Amino acid sequence: MAGQISEEYRGQEVFLIGVLKGAVVFLADLMRFLTVPVEIDFMAVSSYGKSTVTSGVVRILKDLETSIENRNVIIVEDIVDTGLTLSYLMDNLETRKPASLKICTLLDKVECRQVEVTPDYRGFIIPDKFVVGYGLDCAEKYRNIADVCVLHR
Ligand code: IMP
């Protein structure tokens, strides 16, 4: 994915927005393989709280520290599930007039989609299982597991 992004943005700069907290590990790995100049910032949005079922409510808990006007923005997500979070984020960031706005996600549960969201860069399509590790959590636990694992309950 980093190769593809570096190729597509050759001669330009990219502004990566990591969606806290799950995307931290992926963003850290991804950016080390980008060969174009990179700036990063983070946003935090409410999603599932301590539950594993989406509430459908998205709220900004932490916003960007800088303007993204005329920047090539790539939202870096850990996983797209219903698409509600990214749909909200895309609408919100679009109003800030970036030069371009794309989505890069490590994982995609395509069969769970409730609103139309199509990642521009996607690592893996996965089935409808709750996964943890590599930054992903369940009630803030398991983020430190090195691999992506299915949580069995
Ligand atoms: P969406 O709004 O339903 O697309 O959900 C996106 C967010 O929900 C992700 O950024 C994750 O924080 C969380 N999420 C969705 N599925 C999983 C999962 O299987 N494991 C951990 N977090 C998940």
Side-chain angles (χ1 to χ4, degrees):
M1 273 193 280
Q4 190 186 346
I5 293 169
S6 300
E7 189 59 41
E8 287 180 19
Y9 289 89
R10 201 187 322 184
Q12 303 176 71
E13 292 187 8
V14 294
F15 190 98
L16 304 180
I17 299 179
V19 185
L20 293 173
K21 303 169 189 167
V24 163
V25 180
F26 175 48
L27 182 133
D29 278 347
L30 177 77
M31 70 178 186
R32 278 182 279 190
F33 288 94
L34 290 172
T35 56
V36 290
V38 170
E39 273 187 42
I40 65 167
D41 202 348
F42 295 94
M43 286 183 84
V45 291
S46 64
S47 59
Y48 298 175
K50 291 199 187 312
S51 159
T52 56
V53 184
T54 185
S55 63
V57 179
V58 180
R59 214 158 38 92
I60 293 183
L61 305 176
K62 184 214 171 291
D63 208 337
L64 300 174
E65 288 171 9
T66 48
S67 163
I68 54 165
E69 196 170 341
N70 295 323
R71 318 287 297 265
N72 293 311
V73 175
I74 303 177
I75 305 173
V76 180
E77 255 288 26
D78 49 358
I79 186 164
V80 189
D81 185 0
T82 62
L84 288 164
T85 308
L86 272 179
S87 166
Y88 171 82
L89 269 182
M90 290 290 281
D91 288 348
N92 182 289
L93 295 174
E94 204 65 79
T95 65
R96 308 184 196 192
K97 302 190 171 32
S100 61
L101 181 59
K102 293 199 175 178
I103 297 169
C104 176
T105 188
L106 175 67
L107 304 171
D108 192 352
K109 292 191 205 172
V110 279
E111 65 192 78
C112 300
R113 207 65 101 248
Q114 287 176 22
V115 289
E116 205 186 314
V117 168
T118 311
D120 301 279
Y121 310 99
R122 177 164 59 193
F124 304 93
I125 292 174
I126 64 165
D128 182 14
K129 303 261 196 241
F130 199 82
V131 289
V132 295
Y134 194 72
L136 289 120
D137 74 311
C138 179
E140 298 300 327
K141 296 287 190 296
Y142 313 118
R143 292 192 196 277
N144 57 308
I145 296 172
D147 302 311
V148 177
C149 305
V150 175
L151 186 69
H152 292 289
R153 276 156 293 178

